[in-house]
Short mmCIF file of all heavy atoms in Angstrom, two decimals:
data_model
loop_
_atom_site.label_atom_id
_atom_site.label_comp_id
_atom_site.label_asym_id
_atom_site.label_seq_id
_atom_site.Cartn_x
_atom_site.Cartn_y
_atom_site.Cartn_z
N ASP A 1517 122.17 102.75 101.78
CA ASP A 1517 121.37 102.57 102.99
C ASP A 1517 121.25 103.90 103.73
O ASP A 1517 121.59 104.01 104.91
CB ASP A 1517 121.93 101.47 103.88
CG ASP A 1517 123.39 101.71 104.27
OD1 ASP A 1517 124.05 102.53 103.61
OD2 ASP A 1517 123.84 101.08 105.25
N LEU A 1518 120.78 104.93 103.02
CA LEU A 1518 120.65 106.25 103.61
C LEU A 1518 119.29 106.41 104.27
O LEU A 1518 118.27 105.93 103.77
CB LEU A 1518 120.83 107.33 102.53
CG LEU A 1518 122.17 107.30 101.76
CD1 LEU A 1518 122.19 108.40 100.73
CD2 LEU A 1518 123.34 107.45 102.72
N ASP A 1519 119.25 107.14 105.39
CA ASP A 1519 118.02 107.32 106.14
C ASP A 1519 116.90 107.90 105.29
O ASP A 1519 115.76 107.47 105.36
CB ASP A 1519 118.26 108.26 107.33
CG ASP A 1519 119.34 107.76 108.26
OD1 ASP A 1519 119.53 106.54 108.35
OD2 ASP A 1519 119.98 108.60 108.89
N ARG A 1520 117.23 108.91 104.48
CA ARG A 1520 116.19 109.59 103.70
C ARG A 1520 115.48 108.61 102.79
O ARG A 1520 114.25 108.65 102.66
CB ARG A 1520 116.82 110.72 102.88
CG ARG A 1520 115.85 111.43 101.97
CD ARG A 1520 116.51 112.65 101.35
NE ARG A 1520 117.69 112.27 100.59
CZ ARG A 1520 117.65 111.86 99.31
NH1 ARG A 1520 116.49 111.75 98.69
NH2 ARG A 1520 118.76 111.55 98.68
N HIS A 1521 116.23 107.72 102.16
CA HIS A 1521 115.61 106.75 101.26
C HIS A 1521 114.72 105.79 102.03
O HIS A 1521 113.63 105.43 101.57
CB HIS A 1521 116.68 105.98 100.49
CG HIS A 1521 117.47 106.82 99.55
ND1 HIS A 1521 116.89 107.61 98.59
CD2 HIS A 1521 118.81 107.01 99.44
CE1 HIS A 1521 117.83 108.24 97.91
NE2 HIS A 1521 119.00 107.89 98.40
N VAL A 1522 115.17 105.34 103.19
CA VAL A 1522 114.40 104.39 103.99
C VAL A 1522 113.06 105.01 104.38
O VAL A 1522 111.99 104.45 104.13
CB VAL A 1522 115.17 103.97 105.25
CG1 VAL A 1522 114.31 103.06 106.12
CG2 VAL A 1522 116.47 103.28 104.89
N LEU A 1523 113.12 106.18 104.99
CA LEU A 1523 111.89 106.81 105.48
C LEU A 1523 110.96 107.20 104.35
O LEU A 1523 109.75 106.99 104.42
CB LEU A 1523 112.24 108.02 106.34
CG LEU A 1523 112.94 107.71 107.66
CD1 LEU A 1523 113.36 109.00 108.34
CD2 LEU A 1523 112.03 106.90 108.56
N ASP A 1524 111.52 107.79 103.29
CA ASP A 1524 110.69 108.19 102.15
C ASP A 1524 109.99 106.99 101.53
O ASP A 1524 108.80 107.05 101.20
CB ASP A 1524 111.53 108.90 101.09
CG ASP A 1524 111.96 110.29 101.52
OD1 ASP A 1524 111.45 110.78 102.54
OD2 ASP A 1524 112.81 110.88 100.83
N ALA A 1525 110.72 105.89 101.37
CA ALA A 1525 110.16 104.70 100.75
C ALA A 1525 109.07 104.08 101.61
O ALA A 1525 108.00 103.69 101.12
CB ALA A 1525 111.25 103.67 100.47
N LEU A 1526 109.31 104.00 102.91
CA LEU A 1526 108.32 103.40 103.81
C LEU A 1526 107.08 104.26 103.90
O LEU A 1526 105.95 103.75 103.90
CB LEU A 1526 108.93 103.18 105.19
CG LEU A 1526 110.10 102.20 105.27
CD1 LEU A 1526 110.57 102.05 106.71
CD2 LEU A 1526 109.74 100.84 104.69
N ARG A 1527 107.26 105.57 103.98
CA ARG A 1527 106.10 106.44 104.06
C ARG A 1527 105.34 106.48 102.74
O ARG A 1527 104.14 106.77 102.72
CB ARG A 1527 106.54 107.85 104.49
CG ARG A 1527 107.07 107.89 105.92
CD ARG A 1527 107.25 109.30 106.41
NE ARG A 1527 107.89 109.33 107.72
CZ ARG A 1527 107.27 109.12 108.88
NH1 ARG A 1527 105.97 108.85 108.88
NH2 ARG A 1527 107.92 109.18 110.02
N ALA A 1528 106.01 106.19 101.64
CA ALA A 1528 105.33 106.13 100.34
C ALA A 1528 104.50 104.87 100.21
O ALA A 1528 103.62 104.78 99.34
CB ALA A 1528 106.36 106.20 99.20
N GLY A 1529 104.76 103.87 101.06
CA GLY A 1529 103.97 102.65 101.02
C GLY A 1529 104.73 101.37 100.76
O GLY A 1529 104.14 100.30 100.65
N ALA A 1530 106.07 101.45 100.67
CA ALA A 1530 106.86 100.23 100.49
C ALA A 1530 106.74 99.35 101.73
O ALA A 1530 106.62 99.85 102.85
CB ALA A 1530 108.32 100.57 100.24
N VAL A 1531 106.73 98.04 101.53
CA VAL A 1531 106.62 97.12 102.66
C VAL A 1531 107.93 96.41 102.95
O VAL A 1531 108.00 95.55 103.82
CB VAL A 1531 105.51 96.06 102.42
CG1 VAL A 1531 104.16 96.74 102.25
CG2 VAL A 1531 105.83 95.20 101.20
N GLY A 1532 108.97 96.77 102.20
CA GLY A 1532 110.26 96.16 102.44
C GLY A 1532 111.37 97.02 101.89
O GLY A 1532 111.14 97.86 101.02
N PHE A 1533 112.58 96.79 102.39
CA PHE A 1533 113.73 97.58 101.95
C PHE A 1533 114.96 96.71 102.10
O PHE A 1533 115.33 96.34 103.22
CB PHE A 1533 113.85 98.84 102.81
CG PHE A 1533 114.62 99.95 102.15
CD1 PHE A 1533 113.98 101.11 101.77
CD2 PHE A 1533 115.98 99.84 101.93
CE1 PHE A 1533 114.67 102.15 101.17
CE2 PHE A 1533 116.69 100.86 101.33
CZ PHE A 1533 116.03 102.02 100.96
N LEU A 1534 115.60 96.36 101.00
CA LEU A 1534 116.78 95.51 101.02
C LEU A 1534 117.92 96.16 100.26
O LEU A 1534 117.70 96.94 99.34
CB LEU A 1534 116.48 94.14 100.40
CG LEU A 1534 115.53 93.22 101.15
CD1 LEU A 1534 115.23 91.99 100.30
CD2 LEU A 1534 116.13 92.79 102.47
N LEU A 1535 119.15 95.80 100.64
CA LEU A 1535 120.33 96.28 99.94
C LEU A 1535 120.72 95.29 98.85
O LEU A 1535 120.65 94.09 99.03
CB LEU A 1535 121.48 96.48 100.92
CG LEU A 1535 121.19 97.47 102.06
CD1 LEU A 1535 122.37 97.54 103.02
CD2 LEU A 1535 120.88 98.85 101.50
N LYS A 1536 121.17 95.84 97.71
CA LYS A 1536 121.50 94.99 96.57
C LYS A 1536 122.71 94.09 96.83
O LYS A 1536 122.87 93.08 96.14
CB LYS A 1536 121.78 95.86 95.34
CG LYS A 1536 120.56 96.58 94.80
CD LYS A 1536 120.93 97.38 93.56
CE LYS A 1536 119.74 98.15 93.02
NZ LYS A 1536 120.10 98.96 91.84
N ASP A 1537 123.54 94.46 97.78
CA ASP A 1537 124.74 93.65 98.02
C ASP A 1537 124.49 92.52 99.01
O ASP A 1537 125.41 91.87 99.48
CB ASP A 1537 125.90 94.53 98.50
CG ASP A 1537 125.59 95.27 99.80
OD1 ASP A 1537 124.47 95.09 100.33
OD2 ASP A 1537 126.45 96.02 100.26
N GLY A 1538 123.23 92.28 99.33
CA GLY A 1538 122.90 91.18 100.23
C GLY A 1538 122.96 89.84 99.52
O GLY A 1538 123.05 89.76 98.29
N PRO A 1539 122.91 88.73 100.27
CA PRO A 1539 122.95 87.39 99.66
C PRO A 1539 121.70 87.11 98.83
O PRO A 1539 120.63 87.65 99.09
CB PRO A 1539 123.03 86.46 100.87
CG PRO A 1539 122.46 87.25 102.00
CD PRO A 1539 122.83 88.68 101.74
N ALA A 1540 121.87 86.26 97.83
CA ALA A 1540 120.77 85.94 96.92
C ALA A 1540 119.57 85.38 97.66
O ALA A 1540 118.42 85.68 97.34
CB ALA A 1540 121.25 84.95 95.86
N GLN A 1541 119.82 84.56 98.69
CA GLN A 1541 118.71 83.95 99.42
C GLN A 1541 117.87 84.99 100.14
O GLN A 1541 116.67 84.79 100.33
CB GLN A 1541 119.26 82.92 100.42
CG GLN A 1541 118.19 82.04 101.04
CD GLN A 1541 117.38 81.26 99.99
OE1 GLN A 1541 117.91 80.88 98.94
NE2 GLN A 1541 116.10 81.05 100.26
N SER A 1542 118.49 86.12 100.51
CA SER A 1542 117.72 87.18 101.16
C SER A 1542 116.68 87.75 100.23
O SER A 1542 115.57 88.09 100.64
CB SER A 1542 118.66 88.29 101.63
OG SER A 1542 119.52 87.84 102.65
N LEU A 1543 117.02 87.84 98.95
CA LEU A 1543 116.08 88.34 97.96
C LEU A 1543 114.90 87.38 97.81
O LEU A 1543 113.74 87.80 97.80
CB LEU A 1543 116.79 88.51 96.61
CG LEU A 1543 115.95 89.04 95.46
CD1 LEU A 1543 115.57 90.49 95.71
CD2 LEU A 1543 116.73 88.93 94.14
N VAL A 1544 115.20 86.10 97.72
CA VAL A 1544 114.16 85.09 97.58
C VAL A 1544 113.25 85.08 98.81
O VAL A 1544 112.01 85.07 98.70
CB VAL A 1544 114.79 83.70 97.39
CG1 VAL A 1544 113.71 82.61 97.38
CG2 VAL A 1544 115.58 83.65 96.09
N GLU A 1545 113.85 85.12 99.99
CA GLU A 1545 113.06 85.11 101.22
C GLU A 1545 112.20 86.36 101.34
O GLU A 1545 111.07 86.30 101.83
CB GLU A 1545 113.99 84.98 102.42
CG GLU A 1545 114.68 83.62 102.53
CD GLU A 1545 115.69 83.57 103.65
OE1 GLU A 1545 115.92 84.63 104.28
OE2 GLU A 1545 116.25 82.49 103.88
N ALA A 1546 112.74 87.50 100.89
CA ALA A 1546 111.98 88.75 100.97
C ALA A 1546 110.72 88.67 100.11
O ALA A 1546 109.64 89.09 100.52
CB ALA A 1546 112.85 89.92 100.52
N VAL A 1547 110.85 88.11 98.92
CA VAL A 1547 109.70 87.97 98.03
C VAL A 1547 108.64 87.10 98.67
O VAL A 1547 107.45 87.43 98.67
CB VAL A 1547 110.14 87.38 96.66
CG1 VAL A 1547 108.92 86.97 95.83
CG2 VAL A 1547 110.98 88.39 95.89
N ARG A 1548 109.05 85.99 99.25
CA ARG A 1548 108.10 85.08 99.88
C ARG A 1548 107.45 85.71 101.10
O ARG A 1548 106.23 85.58 101.32
CB ARG A 1548 108.81 83.79 100.27
CG ARG A 1548 109.20 82.92 99.08
CD ARG A 1548 109.98 81.72 99.49
NE ARG A 1548 110.29 80.84 98.35
CZ ARG A 1548 111.38 80.11 98.25
NH1 ARG A 1548 112.28 80.12 99.22
NH2 ARG A 1548 111.58 79.36 97.19
N MET A 1549 108.24 86.41 101.91
CA MET A 1549 107.70 87.03 103.12
C MET A 1549 106.67 88.10 102.79
O MET A 1549 105.60 88.17 103.38
CB MET A 1549 108.83 87.64 103.95
CG MET A 1549 109.70 86.62 104.67
SD MET A 1549 111.07 87.40 105.56
CE MET A 1549 110.16 88.34 106.78
N VAL A 1550 106.99 88.94 101.82
CA VAL A 1550 106.08 90.02 101.44
C VAL A 1550 104.79 89.45 100.85
O VAL A 1550 103.69 89.92 101.13
CB VAL A 1550 106.76 90.98 100.45
CG1 VAL A 1550 105.76 91.94 99.85
CG2 VAL A 1550 107.87 91.76 101.15
N ALA A 1551 104.94 88.43 100.02
CA ALA A 1551 103.75 87.81 99.43
C ALA A 1551 102.86 87.18 100.50
O ALA A 1551 101.64 87.11 100.35
CB ALA A 1551 104.17 86.74 98.42
N ALA A 1552 103.47 86.76 101.62
CA ALA A 1552 102.72 86.14 102.72
C ALA A 1552 102.14 87.18 103.68
O ALA A 1552 101.46 86.82 104.65
CB ALA A 1552 103.61 85.17 103.49
N GLY A 1553 102.42 88.45 103.43
CA GLY A 1553 101.86 89.50 104.27
C GLY A 1553 102.79 90.09 105.29
O GLY A 1553 102.40 90.94 106.10
N ASP A 1554 104.06 89.69 105.27
CA ASP A 1554 105.05 90.25 106.19
C ASP A 1554 105.74 91.44 105.55
O ASP A 1554 105.72 91.61 104.33
CB ASP A 1554 106.10 89.21 106.57
CG ASP A 1554 105.61 88.26 107.65
OD1 ASP A 1554 104.67 88.64 108.37
OD2 ASP A 1554 106.15 87.15 107.75
N ALA A 1555 106.40 92.24 106.39
CA ALA A 1555 107.28 93.30 105.91
C ALA A 1555 108.71 92.83 106.10
O ALA A 1555 108.98 91.93 106.91
CB ALA A 1555 107.03 94.59 106.67
N VAL A 1556 109.63 93.43 105.38
CA VAL A 1556 111.02 93.00 105.51
C VAL A 1556 111.95 94.19 105.36
O VAL A 1556 111.78 95.03 104.49
CB VAL A 1556 111.36 91.91 104.46
CG1 VAL A 1556 111.13 92.42 103.05
CG2 VAL A 1556 112.80 91.44 104.61
N LEU A 1557 112.91 94.26 106.28
CA LEU A 1557 113.97 95.26 106.22
C LEU A 1557 115.29 94.55 106.46
O LEU A 1557 115.39 93.69 107.32
CB LEU A 1557 113.79 96.33 107.30
CG LEU A 1557 112.59 97.27 107.17
CD1 LEU A 1557 112.48 98.12 108.43
CD2 LEU A 1557 112.75 98.15 105.95
N SER A 1558 116.32 94.93 105.70
CA SER A 1558 117.63 94.33 105.94
C SER A 1558 118.14 94.79 107.30
O SER A 1558 117.80 95.88 107.76
CB SER A 1558 118.62 94.75 104.85
OG SER A 1558 119.05 96.08 105.07
N PRO A 1559 118.95 93.98 107.99
CA PRO A 1559 119.47 94.39 109.30
C PRO A 1559 120.18 95.74 109.28
O PRO A 1559 120.02 96.56 110.17
CB PRO A 1559 120.42 93.24 109.67
CG PRO A 1559 119.88 92.06 108.94
CD PRO A 1559 119.35 92.61 107.64
N ARG A 1560 120.99 95.99 108.24
CA ARG A 1560 121.70 97.27 108.15
C ARG A 1560 120.72 98.43 108.03
O ARG A 1560 120.88 99.47 108.66
CB ARG A 1560 122.66 97.26 106.95
CG ARG A 1560 124.01 96.67 107.26
CD ARG A 1560 124.79 96.40 105.99
NE ARG A 1560 124.97 97.60 105.19
CZ ARG A 1560 125.47 97.58 103.94
NH1 ARG A 1560 125.80 96.42 103.39
NH2 ARG A 1560 125.62 98.69 103.27
N VAL A 1561 119.68 98.25 107.22
CA VAL A 1561 118.70 99.31 107.05
C VAL A 1561 117.93 99.52 108.34
O VAL A 1561 117.63 100.66 108.74
CB VAL A 1561 117.73 98.97 105.89
CG1 VAL A 1561 116.57 99.94 105.87
CG2 VAL A 1561 118.47 99.02 104.57
N THR A 1562 117.61 98.44 109.05
CA THR A 1562 116.89 98.57 110.32
C THR A 1562 117.71 99.37 111.32
O THR A 1562 117.18 100.24 112.02
CB THR A 1562 116.58 97.18 110.90
OG1 THR A 1562 115.78 96.45 109.96
CG2 THR A 1562 115.82 97.30 112.21
N ARG A 1563 119.01 99.11 111.39
CA ARG A 1563 119.86 99.87 112.31
C ARG A 1563 119.87 101.35 111.93
O ARG A 1563 119.82 102.23 112.79
CB ARG A 1563 121.28 99.31 112.30
CG ARG A 1563 121.42 98.00 113.05
CD ARG A 1563 122.87 97.67 113.33
NE ARG A 1563 123.62 97.46 112.11
CZ ARG A 1563 123.74 96.29 111.51
NH1 ARG A 1563 123.15 95.23 112.01
NH2 ARG A 1563 124.45 96.17 110.40
N ARG A 1564 119.95 101.64 110.64
CA ARG A 1564 119.91 103.04 110.20
C ARG A 1564 118.59 103.70 110.58
O ARG A 1564 118.55 104.85 110.98
CB ARG A 1564 120.10 103.11 108.68
CG ARG A 1564 121.49 102.75 108.21
CD ARG A 1564 122.43 103.93 108.37
NE ARG A 1564 123.73 103.64 107.82
CZ ARG A 1564 124.50 104.55 107.22
NH1 ARG A 1564 124.07 105.79 107.12
NH2 ARG A 1564 125.67 104.23 106.75
N LEU A 1565 117.51 102.96 110.42
CA LEU A 1565 116.20 103.50 110.75
C LEU A 1565 116.11 103.80 112.24
O LEU A 1565 115.61 104.85 112.66
CB LEU A 1565 115.12 102.51 110.34
CG LEU A 1565 113.67 102.97 110.48
CD1 LEU A 1565 113.40 104.18 109.60
CD2 LEU A 1565 112.72 101.84 110.11
N LEU A 1566 116.62 102.90 113.07
CA LEU A 1566 116.62 103.13 114.51
C LEU A 1566 117.46 104.36 114.86
O LEU A 1566 117.07 105.17 115.70
CB LEU A 1566 117.16 101.90 115.23
CG LEU A 1566 116.30 100.64 115.19
CD1 LEU A 1566 117.05 99.47 115.81
CD2 LEU A 1566 114.99 100.86 115.88
N ASP A 1567 118.61 104.50 114.22
CA ASP A 1567 119.45 105.65 114.47
C ASP A 1567 118.74 106.95 114.08
O ASP A 1567 118.87 107.97 114.75
CB ASP A 1567 120.76 105.54 113.68
CG ASP A 1567 121.69 104.47 114.24
OD1 ASP A 1567 121.47 104.03 115.38
OD2 ASP A 1567 122.62 104.09 113.53
N ARG A 1568 117.99 106.89 113.00
CA ARG A 1568 117.27 108.08 112.54
C ARG A 1568 116.26 108.52 113.60
O ARG A 1568 116.16 109.70 113.93
CB ARG A 1568 116.56 107.76 111.22
CG ARG A 1568 115.62 108.86 110.73
CD ARG A 1568 116.39 110.09 110.29
NE ARG A 1568 115.50 111.11 109.76
CZ ARG A 1568 114.89 112.03 110.50
NH1 ARG A 1568 115.07 112.05 111.82
NH2 ARG A 1568 114.11 112.93 109.95
N PHE A 1569 115.52 107.58 114.13
CA PHE A 1569 114.54 107.92 115.15
C PHE A 1569 115.22 108.35 116.45
O PHE A 1569 114.67 109.14 117.21
CB PHE A 1569 113.59 106.75 115.40
CG PHE A 1569 112.48 106.66 114.42
CD1 PHE A 1569 112.53 105.76 113.37
CD2 PHE A 1569 111.38 107.49 114.52
CE1 PHE A 1569 111.49 105.68 112.45
CE2 PHE A 1569 110.34 107.42 113.60
CZ PHE A 1569 110.40 106.52 112.57
#
Side-chain angles (χ1 to χ4, degrees):
D1517 56 343
L1518 302 179
D1519 302 331
R1520 177 172 59 85
H1521 295 306
V1522 176
L1523 292 174
D1524 288 349
L1526 296 182
R1527 293 191 186 280
V1531 299
F1533 202 112
L1534 292 174
L1535 301 177
K1536 292 181 182 179
D1537 60 1
Q1541 191 58 33
S1542 294
L1543 181 68
V1544 174
E1545 291 175 355
V1547 169
R1548 290 176 177 148
M1549 287 177 65
V1550 169
D1554 280 338
V1556 58
L1557 292 172
S1558 76
R1560 274 167 58 189
V1561 170
T1562 301
R1563 285 195 296 271
R1564 290 280 185 145
L1565 186 61
L1566 292 173
D1567 288 344
R1568 172 69 177 87
F1569 278 101

